[in-house]
Amino acid sequence: MTSSCASQGMIRNDRLDAETRDSSYSLIQAQSRDRDSRTNFTLSVSGGGTRAAAFAYGVLQALRDTPISHTKHTRLLDELDTISSVSGGSFTAAYYGLHGDGIFETYESDFLRRNLERSLIRKVLSPLGWFDKRGRTEDAISLYDRFIFKDAKFSDLNRVDGPLILLNATDFSTGVRFSFIQEYFDMLCSDLGSFPISAAVTASSAVPLLFHPVVVENRNDCDNELPRWIKRARRRAKDHPELEVTLDGISKFFDKDSNRYLHLVDGGITDNLGLRSIYDFVEMIGGARNFLRVLKHDTPERIVVISLDASNDPDTGIGESADHPTAATTVDVMSTIQIHRYNASTKNLINEMLTQWSEELSTDESRVEYYYISLDFNQMLDPQDSYFLNNIPTTFTLSDEEVDRLIEAGKETLFNHPEFQRLMSDLQVDSRQVTIQ
């Protein structure tokens, strides 16, 4: 059952003014917090419904249970500077951003083990909703507000000790990766601080056809000239195809007549790993050194990127029969192939990026080390565990067993990853001190 074609999304982005600008949730403000400058630490969380959310939750538990002693912090979790997410992973990222350690008390009951799909379907099928033109997306925003995010806004993410939470979606009209950060909302003459977290998470996970886009207005009451940083970046992008495509799309935001509204859908369409938005920011500003200069950060001793790939590789059984696959199976397989190929391309890009950043920031006296820790289900020690995890569907309702095994998978794949073990060794962490709770 689909919602009415006449449905229309509610506009939630308020006009930006001098007063609201001070409380906005911006890249520069979030990254200027008092954090250890020796380690630049990013966690990216992929799409994959509750499968991705539970996998990420297990990794957060593992980081909580990893002691360190080289800074004022006592846990590796407290070193996180940024969590970048798409789709299902955005539920865990946003919840941690709002609650910090409180996530370990309430997240499982609020989301991981709650049957939200049943609540959403019940609302769609209710006679009271038959004449409601808001559509399924608005119903999802309402449910997420009620059960998970409790009417929280982006201004609520301005915790003193929390990492930057970068929720990512895709603008359907321009094909641009869109990050919910004030720097992007500036281009829309809008205030991010008053924007609901539930709407951003819904946009990040709104699979086209199943959900309508989350609509935001591209307001026309501020300077419509291309900012100098975009003009400079476009000059640099002439020999940089990836950056050129991104900047061409972003530049369309300034054509207010042709792009009066953004239609935001699943961030996994343009990046299912949540990594390319980090790449975009650094490259648009002009490289790692310029990025640190803008943020007024010292050169770190190490760059750590933990990337969670919760995409699955289910056993479709297509090869066991001469029968043509069903339409549903065909769509699932096509999506899986595209995601895996694009994920592989993204991982290669990030590897090259980290190598380049390390070389750019290193000096003869001091080398900047990097650690790229890419986790997926095929890294489980037991092949039967990998098979089980790869056959968990992309849905927002999982069994308790599936949730339990995904959480444990997050811990196991992180603790056993060679690059994570190298990081612990370099941080002088005794692996025997790590407790798995």
Side-chain angles (χ1 to χ4, degrees), residues 298-323:
D298 296 330
T299 301
E301 295 176 6
R302 61 192 69 86
I303 302 172
V304 180
V305 174
I306 299 179
S307 170
L308 311 186
D309 181 359
S311 61
N312 62 348
D313 189 13
D315 184 2
T316 62
I318 291 177
E320 299 173 2
S321 170
D323 295 339

Side-chain angles (χ1 to χ4, degrees), residues 308-375:
L308 311 186
D309 181 359
S311 61
N312 62 348
D313 189 13
D315 184 2
T316 62
I318 291 177
E320 299 173 2
S321 170
D323 295 339
H324 293 300
T326 65
T329 299
T330 299
V331 171
D332 286 344
V333 171
M334 289 174 59
S335 175
T336 298
I337 292 172
Q338 290 173 334
I339 286 174
H340 280 287
R341 284 186 174 273
Y342 195 42
N343 283 358
S345 172
T346 298
K347 291 174 184 178
N348 287 335
L349 176 68
I350 299 305
N351 248 325
E352 294 173 359
M353 172 196 78
L354 289 173
T355 300
Q356 176 185 328
W357 291 358
S358 174
E359 293 175 354
E360 180 182 347
L361 296 175
S362 294
T363 64
D364 293 338
E365 297 76 24
S366 178
R367 175 167 177 78
V368 176
E369 287 289 334
Y370 74 87
Y371 308 78
Y372 181 39
I373 304 165
S374 179
L375 308 180

